[in-house]
Amino acid sequence: MVLVTLGLLSLLGLHVNGASAQIQTPLVPWEASPFHPPSIPLAVRSPFLNCWISGGNASMPLSNQWPTFWTGPPSNLGWTGYVRVDGTAYRWLGAYAEGQQANQTKSSFTATQSLFVLEAGPVELTATFISPIEPMDLIRQSMPFSYLTVSVRSLDGESHNVQVYSDISAEWTSGDRSLTVAWLTEVSNNIVHQVQLAPQASPFAIDDSQSQGSTAFYATSNGDGVTYQTGSNHIVRQTFIQNGTLQNSQDNDFRGIYQDNPVFGLSVDLASVMEPTSPVVFALGLSRDPAVQYAAGPETLQTRSLFYLSQFSNATTAIQYFLSDYPRAMNASMAFDQQLVNAASATSTQYAEILALAARQAFSRIEITTSKDQSGAWNTSDVLVFLATGSGMRRPTNTLDILYAMSPIFLYTNPALLGYILEVDFQYMRSGSYQQTFAPHDLGTFIRNYPDVIGNQSPLSSTGVEESANLLIMSLAMAQASGNGGQLNNYYDTLKGLADYLVDNALYPGNQMSTDMAFLPRAPNSTLLSLKGIIAIKAMAEVRSALNITDTEPSYSDIASSYISQWQQLAIDSKGDLLSSYDNLTSSTLGYDLYPDLLLGTNLVSSDLYSSLTTPTKWTQTDYGVTLDSTLPGMAKVDWTLFLAATAGDLSTRSLLISLVHNYLSAGQSHVPFGDFYNIYNGESRQWQARPVVGGLFSILALNQTKPITVPPSTSVPSGPSAQSSTAVLQSTTKPGPKKSTALATFGSSQNMMVLLPTVVLIECVILLYF
Ligand SMILES: *[C@@H]1O[C@H](CO)[C@@H](O)[C@H](O)[C@H]1NC(C)=O
Ligand SMILES: *[C@@H]1O[C@H](CO)[C@@H](O)[C@H](O)[C@H]1NC(C)=O
Ligand SMILES: *[C@@H]1O[C@H](CO)[C@@H](O)[C@H](O)[C@H]1NC(C)=O
Ligand SMILES: *[C@@H]1O[C@H](CO)[C@@H](O)[C@H](O)[C@H]1NC(C)=O
Ligand SMILES: *[C@@H]1O[C@H](CO)[C@@H](O)[C@H](O)[C@H]1NC(C)=O
Ligand SMILES: *[C@@H]1O[C@H](CO)[C@@H](O)[C@H](O)[C@H]1NC(C)=O
Ligand SMILES: *[C@@H]1O[C@H](CO)[C@@H](O)[C@H](O)[C@H]1NC(C)=O
Ligand SMILES: *[C@@H]1O[C@H](CO)[C@@H](O)[C@H](O)[C@H]1NC(C)=O
Ligand SMILES: *[C@@H]1O[C@H](CO)[C@@H](O)[C@H](O)[C@H]1NC(C)=O
Ligand SMILES: *[C@@H]1O[C@H](CO)[C@@H](O)[C@H](O)[C@H]1NC(C)=O
């Protein structure tokens, strides 16, 4: 064993020379709560509405940096804010050269909100970026819209004359900034700017990860003192800076994104300000329709829309509804934040803090879709959720090992969402396009990326064990957490095929790749891959039991028991440590794949082995983290670290692991959206950023959610809320758009199917059932 034994020393506060990182206090001059994250989410609601500002130890204030797409610079997303106080203009958002820079005094984040406080001369301005998370509400969760609110108060006891301004640029419409855009401003009860490429690109086109075929929206409520203007950035901003108002005019000279940069400005005159004003609410959106091109099999190419469009005429009416929904959405967001804090604080405050940073990032990678039937009517029973995975050149869909890593966030907040994602993979596996018994790695190809989902024509047999185990484990976990066995029943044959494949391949995975071999040196006979496969075989026994299918031939339970004893002989060395490869006696790895054994209650692994594999004395550890695998010294993964924490029965070990991840995130050494793979010696993230796998941090909250599994009577409809009990409407006095009802995302069609409920009831359900 080549591991340095540091864990206990660290627990005692002792450090071995040079091995422990010095945690630096970030040098940014404002107060940050709960800490300075590597990057701060601003509008993070979908794979494409995904806007951040850089954070960490050397970050600029909100008033002096451009927000960017999640990929970071140079993908700036023009988003500007000014406040004019007694005739003097101060910039509070963006890095445009004009005006004085407001002084940032505070930043904070919760699961759904990022808040900034800035001083602009004699007033204080609070800018709050709200990206709601509404896991139980298919309509609202599918809206690619986000709020920015601005409130101002006097700091010196005097009243001041105040106007607020904000704009977006056309950079939101494309990663290729040489393209031409066209725009339109609709003025009614609301002012709604819209901008898109001209000619509009295919909704499935992507450039530099940005969507090419989306329409960007920027809107606010109309009223006294509200003005708008479109035109060159210099003209529109100067007009506000000089006059404190815009000219209610449109520049109709459509041109390139960077040709005399067109911007879309909104301004609100707050007049005389003393006490904190009620918030000015801006809504930012980025929608496309159709959203996904999907082929479950040969000859079945279909286009699908974001679910919310089944309730509104179009995105323009929907974003106006979204504006009017702000008071409810703010309440719901605060409730979500608070319930998460309460639940996570039972483990530790630090746990609550890291979950808050993970939540928006994880949820932003899914898109909830529906389709029209042959008559052209929306079929809201047809719900499929797609996961845009990847953080690099290739951006596949529904990568099963990524979904496995993030699945705890769904198991905890709403397991039905996981079911709707798995449904896509099951449909594809059952289609004529896919001829394998093992599960596919993903549903993209090497040339097409999300949202172009046409199946993977080159199935990777080298990830057969990994993905088959993932699919089996997640299917049972979804059924246990929701109590709904409909999907297990519908896809029993597929699941049995996976289990039989694992019986043949899991004990000796040979040259098969585990998910970690995306960054670890490839090594044969991965012990964790084998462990996961064996747990999945036992999961199949549980599937049979839930469906009342007698576990006779083959007895998956007996096979799993026999395999796990053999596995222990092969995988555990004479000192009781876990090798990373059967054949490499100097290797070692963290036993994080014990987690599904605990999660599913398959109880394959003895409690002695649990304790021995979750004992810190064996880890290579600094204040920032624990090495995942000896073949890549010094590199850690946040998702697996938290899987291990959930597996540790010893609460001090759990807290230790959480504190390491917390240190990594708060030390300021990284400056990109929450990277899951990082160096434990300097706290810098590597290779990936903004990935959904941070949903795996919910591992602890996902435990103990198990319900008895029942199978809904009608199994002909595989899944989805049915429309028959549609009685309610979205509660809104203005009611600009919704035609039907609020769909609650539950899975199958049994008593668990509280399908269509009034909004008010819905919020309570979220709180009562899932926290
Ligand atoms: C920022 O703070 C500095 C130092 O206190 C002060 O001189 C300056 O006027 C402040 N700027 C604004 C915009 O309030
Ligand atoms: C300010 O308002 C005046 C009067 O409406 C107008 O003439 C002038 O052009 C405006 N200034 C700018 C920079 O737009
Ligand atoms: C959106 O729907 C509204 C209401 O039906 C309609 O007035 C408006 O023209 C539509 N907008 C677009 C861009 O289709
Ligand atoms: C928001 O919550 C407060 C306090 O719980 C409640 O009084 C108010 O009615 C809620 N507003 C909306 C729009 O739901
Ligand atoms: C609606 O979707 C469900 C689920 O995919 C499907 O079973 C049903 O046949 C569809 N209905 C129509 C009318 O197409
Ligand atoms: C995997 O382990 C088995 C049993 O030790 C061995 O026979 C086999 O050669 C190994 N596979 C590889 C690819 O090393
Ligand atoms: C399995 O059998 C039990 C006991 O007879 C019954 O309560 C349950 O509904 C059955 N489940 C299924 C899926 O048939
Ligand atoms: C065995 O593991 C060690 C890490 O502990 C690694 O350095 C070595 O390269 C591995 N050997 C082989 C043959 O992969
Ligand atoms: C911030 O972290 C980087 C990367 O570790 C380091 O090079 C730099 O010196 C740090 N800056 C400050 C101001 O602490
Ligand atoms: C979850 O279940 C485990 C095992 O039954 C138990 O030890 C633990 O206390 C439970 N945790 C919570 C938070 O209920």
Side-chain angles (χ1 to χ4, degrees), residues 238-239 242-243 247:
Q238 272 304 331
T239 301
Q242 289 184 13
N243 283 357
Q247 296 190 332

Side-chain angles (χ1 to χ4, degrees), residues 45-340:
R45 282 281 276 168
S46 87
F48 306 110
L49 185 65
N50 216 294
C51 174
W52 301 70
I53 57 163
S54 181
N57 65 356
S59 59
M60 290 291 168
L62 186 72
S63 52
N64 198 27
Q65 64 166 310
W66 287 118
T68 71
F69 194 53
W70 65 262
T71 50
S75 299
N76 290 351
L77 295 174
W79 199 358
T80 310
Y82 281 94
V83 60
R84 196 165 172 275
V85 184
D86 303 327
T88 304
Y90 303 88
R91 186 182 64 248
W92 51 269
L93 170 61
Y96 188 66
E98 299 293 319
Q100 291 187 43
Q101 180 186 324
N103 289 333
Q104 186 163 316
T105 58
K106 278 186 195 143
S107 69
S108 69
F109 65 87
T110 64
T112 64
Q113 300 169 50
S114 298
L115 180 146
F116 301 82
V117 179
L118 303 103
E119 288 181 10
V123 306
E124 181 185 83
L125 179 143
T126 301
T128 311
F129 296 81
I130 304 139
S131 291
I133 298 175
E134 313 229 26
M136 300 292 285
D137 184 332
L138 295 180
I139 297 171
R140 293 193 175 94
Q141 187 58 38
S142 68
M143 289 179 170
F145 307 144
S146 189
Y147 298 106
L148 163 58
T149 70
V150 178
S151 165
V152 179
R153 71 177 179 111
S154 169
L155 284 173
D156 63 0
E158 308 279 323
S159 303
H160 297 281
N161 198 298
V162 175
Q163 295 86 39
V164 168
Y165 168 92
S166 183
D167 70 44
I168 62 163
S169 76
E171 286 163 316
W172 293 80
T173 61
S174 172
D176 177 354
R177 274 71 189 280
S178 70
L179 299 178
T180 299
V181 283
W183 54 84
L184 173 75
T185 303
E186 284 187 33
V187 181
S188 59
N189 292 340
N190 302 294
I191 298 173
V192 186
H193 290 302
Q194 307 170 40
V195 52
Q196 64 188 37
L197 293 181
Q200 179 62 310
S202 155
F204 318 118
I206 302 295
D207 188 275
D208 193 23
S209 297
Q210 270 188 256
S211 164
Q212 301 281 83
S214 291
T215 305
F217 296 88
Y218 204 38
T220 196
S221 305
N222 205 352
D224 284 349
V226 181
T227 54
Y228 68 92
Q229 190 169 336
T230 60
S232 122
N233 55 351
H234 302 298
I235 292 173
V236 177
R237 291 171 194 160
Q238 272 304 331
T239 301
F240 176 80
I241 287 169
Q242 289 184 13
N243 283 357
T245 179
L246 299 174
Q247 296 190 332
N248 289 336
S249 63
Q250 302 194 41
D251 166 349
N252 287 321
D253 175 19
F254 301 146
R255 54 187 185 265
I257 294 169
Y258 282 163
Q259 252 180 305
D260 217 2
N261 309 26
V263 301
F264 308 90
L266 298 166
S267 158
V268 179
D269 187 356
L270 298 176
S272 177
V273 169
M274 176 76 158
E275 299 301 321
T277 62
S278 57
V280 175
V281 181
F282 299 101
L284 175 70
L286 197 64
S287 194
R288 63 197 193 286
D289 189 53
V292 178
Q293 172 165 270
Y294 167 61
E299 325 274 311
T300 61
L301 189 67
Q302 56 168 259
T303 54
R304 304 182 61 85
S305 296
L306 295 176
F307 191 89
Y308 81 90
L309 282 171
S310 64
Q311 314 295 319
F312 295 90
S313 324
N314 52 46
T316 316
T317 52
I319 202 164
Q320 298 189 67
Y321 175 77
F322 183 75
L323 267 178
S324 72
D325 196 37
Y326 167 76
R328 188 214 58 83
M330 188 63 185
N331 265 17
S333 293
M334 290 194 298
F336 183 90
D337 292 348
Q338 192 55 49
Q339 296 298 333
L340 189 56

Side-chain angles (χ1 to χ4, degrees), residues 510-750:
N511 285 321
Q512 290 232 358
M513 287 176 71
S514 80
T515 177
D516 292 344
M517 289 173 200
F519 53 88
L520 291 180
R522 277 187 80 156
N525 281 331
S526 158
T527 57
L528 288 176
L529 187 55
S530 177
L531 174 62
K532 199 196 267 185
I534 297 167
I535 294 169
I537 294 170
K538 182 69 187 284
M540 188 65 207
E542 302 288 329
V543 170
R544 284 186 160 191
S545 153
L547 299 176
N548 288 346
I549 298 169
T550 317
D551 190 24
T552 50
E553 286 302 316
S555 165
Y556 294 109
S557 187
D558 290 350
I559 294 170
S561 302
S562 153
Y563 280 11
I564 203 73
S565 335
Q566 295 177 65
W567 178 84
Q568 282 192 220
Q569 299 300 316
L570 293 160
I572 309 293
D573 73 5
S574 54
K575 296 200 201 88
D577 294 338
L578 179 59
L579 303 171
S580 63
S581 159
Y582 295 159
D583 315 307
N584 186 343
L585 296 177
T586 63
S587 67
S588 67
T589 188
L590 293 184
Y592 62 85
D593 268 326
L594 293 172
Y595 176 68
D597 190 41
L598 185 68
L599 176 74
L600 300 174
T602 37
N603 297 323
L604 273 176
V605 177
S606 69
S607 57
D608 285 355
L609 195 55
Y610 269 104
S611 359
S612 119
L613 296 186
T614 55
T615 301
T617 49
K618 298 175 177 169
W619 301 338
T620 304
Q621 180 194 323
T622 70
D623 286 343
Y624 289 139
V626 184
T627 291
L628 183 70
D629 190 294
S630 63
T631 58
L632 198 60
M635 296 305 294
K637 283 279 281 156
V638 295
D639 44 355
W640 302 151
T641 302
L642 263 290
F643 272 40
L644 189 68
T647 308
D650 174 34
L651 295 184
S652 67
T653 304
R654 219 178 237 192
S655 300
L656 168 71
L657 289 168
I658 291 165
S659 73
L660 300 179
V661 171
H662 190 276
N663 287 347
Y664 152 62
L665 286 171
S666 58
Q669 304 301 297
S670 272
H671 305 91
V672 299
F674 199 156
D676 49 293
F677 181 49
Y678 68 100
N679 183 320
I680 64 169
Y681 295 108
N682 62 18
E684 285 178 32
S685 64
R686 171 143 4 133
Q687 189 165 348
W688 292 304
Q689 62 200 57
R691 297 207 308 167
V693 296
V694 298
L697 271 58
F698 284 71
S699 55
I700 296 168
L701 294 184
L703 295 173
N704 301 38
Q705 306 274 312
T706 302
K707 300 182 180 67
I709 298 174
T710 58
V711 175
S714 157
T715 55
S716 57
V717 178
S719 68
S722 70
Q724 68 252 17
S725 53
S726 167
T727 50
V729 291
L730 291 170
Q731 306 293 301
S732 159
T733 46
T734 49
K735 225 177 272 172
K739 295 181 305 222
K740 290 185 200 143
S741 54
T742 297
L744 182 65
T746 57
F747 209 74
S749 56
S750 68

Side-chain angles (χ1 to χ4, degrees), residues 373-374 379 381-383 427 716-719:
D373 64 24
Q374 285 181 340
N379 179 359
S381 303
D382 176 22
V383 183
Q427 284 187 4
S716 57
V717 178
S719 68

